[in-house]
Amino acid sequence: MDGIEINRKKKKTNPVAYVFVLPTIVLFGIFVIWPLIQTVYLSFSDWSGIGAIEFIGFGNYLEFFKDPQVWQSFKNNVLWMVVSCTVPIIIGLFQASLLVNSGIRHSKVFQLILFLPQVFSSVVAAVIWSWIYNPILGPLSSVMEALGLEKWIMPWLGNENTVMIALLIMSIWCGYGFNTVVYSAAIQGIDSDLYEAATMDGCGPFRKFFSITIPCVRTTSTTLLMFSLIGSFRVFDIVYQMTKGGPGYSSYVLSYHLYNEAFIKSRVGYGSTIAVILTIFILIISRLFLRVREGGDEA
């Protein structure tokens, strides 16, 4: 009985704790909850940002599902998701395994070099890659010309067939360094006895990679996948700085479509609708992903 009483006393919450938590709750309510409520309210209205707010019910939501730019944007977001959830993560895992397990000297220096693109701001990265893709002055065109591939030189960001490929290549360059550093930390935490036992059993580097490294960093992989999944539907800065959604609507994504409708066309109500639906979609996808992850951990 005495033990039960002690546990009950331990479970009692100290009222002073609420004093320290209260400022955070207030700030969260002011800067997150209240804007979220306003966004939901505005999604049922027709408002230009100035003047009276006209309530139109579900008109914006009906327009959303009929809007051809929405489906073009969604298709590009899905493509972005597929690429960002595979290529940078695979490159990062391979590079991290190579840097940690191969015994290469100065591996920390290589990690730093690979991480540099993550340090650059999106504006700097956009300027660098816009110059690279320049069909007249860019180094990509110069290399292709030196290789005798002049006929393949084109305005990469101005062609509907190549613009998304060009943006995705830049996105991979910006993201794989972060994955490399995270995977390097995870691989360094793997018990070295596992690799020694595998070596004694005659396992080669590839067998160790697939049988030890990949299973042991599964939690890290699912975390990076979650970040990539959410980031693929929040991508905005790269598109805004490099293409403005063009040519035409070929590089539109949902976040840029939201920006264009709300701040360029002054359709704040419809832009709020896009924001609400995009938020709900990300929450659903994130929850489903977490359930799959939890199921995998239990197995």
Side-chain angles (χ1 to χ4, degrees):
M1 294 294 292
D2 293 339
I4 295 175
E5 291 296 329
I6 292 173
N7 289 333
R8 286 178 178 176
K9 290 180 180 179
K10 288 182 178 179
K11 290 181 180 179
K12 289 183 179 179
T13 303
N14 188 346
V16 179
Y18 290 106
V19 177
F20 292 96
V21 175
L22 185 60
T24 301
I25 295 176
V26 172
L27 291 175
F28 185 80
I30 294 174
F31 294 104
V32 178
I33 301 300
W34 178 240
L36 179 61
I37 294 173
Q38 287 184 311
T39 302
V40 174
Y41 170 72
L42 291 174
S43 68
F44 294 99
S45 70
D46 182 14
W47 186 46
S48 64
I50 302 175
I53 300 175
E54 180 183 355
F55 184 77
I56 60 173
F58 288 94
N60 288 328
Y61 288 88
L62 294 175
E63 180 182 352
F64 177 88
F65 291 104
K66 296 178 182 179
D67 188 349
Q69 276 74 59
V70 165
W71 297 109
Q72 175 66 31
S73 302
F74 183 75
K75 182 181 72 173
N76 288 337
N77 274 120
V78 171
L79 176 62
W80 208 293
M81 178 189 69
V82 172
V83 173
S84 64
C85 288
T86 54
V87 180
I89 291 178
I90 292 173
I91 294 175
L93 177 57
F94 178 78
Q95 287 185 154
S97 179
L98 187 64
L99 289 173
V100 175
N101 293 329
S102 65
I104 188 173
R105 297 181 61 186
H106 309 299
S107 61
K108 297 294 183 182
V109 176
F110 286 105
Q111 290 182 33
L112 175 63
I113 294 173
L114 294 172
F115 189 74
L116 281 178
Q118 190 71 27
V119 178
F120 294 152
S121 69
S122 58
V123 176
V124 174
V127 171
I128 292 173
W129 281 89
S130 295
W131 168 66
I132 291 174
Y133 288 134
N134 189 303
I136 299 175
L137 304 175
L140 178 59
S141 299
S142 300
V143 172
M144 294 182 67
E145 185 175 356
L147 295 175
L149 302 175
E150 296 90 346
K151 65 178 181 179
W152 296 101
I153 297 176
M154 65 183 71
W156 307 100
L157 297 176
N159 189 311
E160 293 183 356
N161 298 320
T162 60
V163 61
M164 283 303 299
I165 297 175
L167 292 177
L168 288 171
I169 290 174
M170 174 190 170
S171 175
I172 293 169
W173 177 79
C174 290
Y176 76 86
F178 174 76
N179 295 333
T180 301
V181 174
V182 173
Y183 271 128
S184 295
I187 294 173
Q188 287 173 357
I190 299 175
D191 190 351
S192 59
D193 292 341
L194 295 174
Y195 290 107
E196 292 176 3
T199 301
M200 294 177 64
D201 289 338
C203 296
F206 287 100
R207 183 65 182 273
K208 294 178 186 177
F209 178 76
F210 288 103
S211 299
I212 298 177
T213 303
I214 292 180
C216 288
V217 298
R218 182 177 62 183
T219 302
T220 302
S221 297
T222 53
T223 302
L224 291 174
L225 279 170
M226 172 65 76
F227 288 151
S228 299
L229 183 66
I230 296 174
S232 63
F233 283 93
R234 293 175 57 250
V235 60
F236 168 78
D237 48 356
I238 293 176
V239 174
Y240 173 76
Q241 291 158 3
M242 295 189 69
T243 65
K244 299 292 190 296
Y249 300 102
S250 56
S251 62
Y252 255 49
V253 290
L254 287 171
S255 57
Y256 183 81
H257 188 38
L258 183 163
Y259 164 81
N260 189 59
E261 292 292 332
F263 299 105
I264 302 300
K265 297 182 179 180
S266 298
R267 301 185 64 199
V268 178
Y270 186 53
S272 299
T273 301
I274 300 174
V276 170
I277 295 177
L278 183 58
T279 301
I280 293 173
F281 180 79
I282 291 175
L283 288 174
I284 292 173
I285 293 295
S286 300
R287 182 54 187 165
L288 291 174
F289 186 87
L290 287 174
R291 290 191 65 179
V292 172
R293 174 181 174 176
E294 291 169 0
D297 291 340
E298 291 176 0

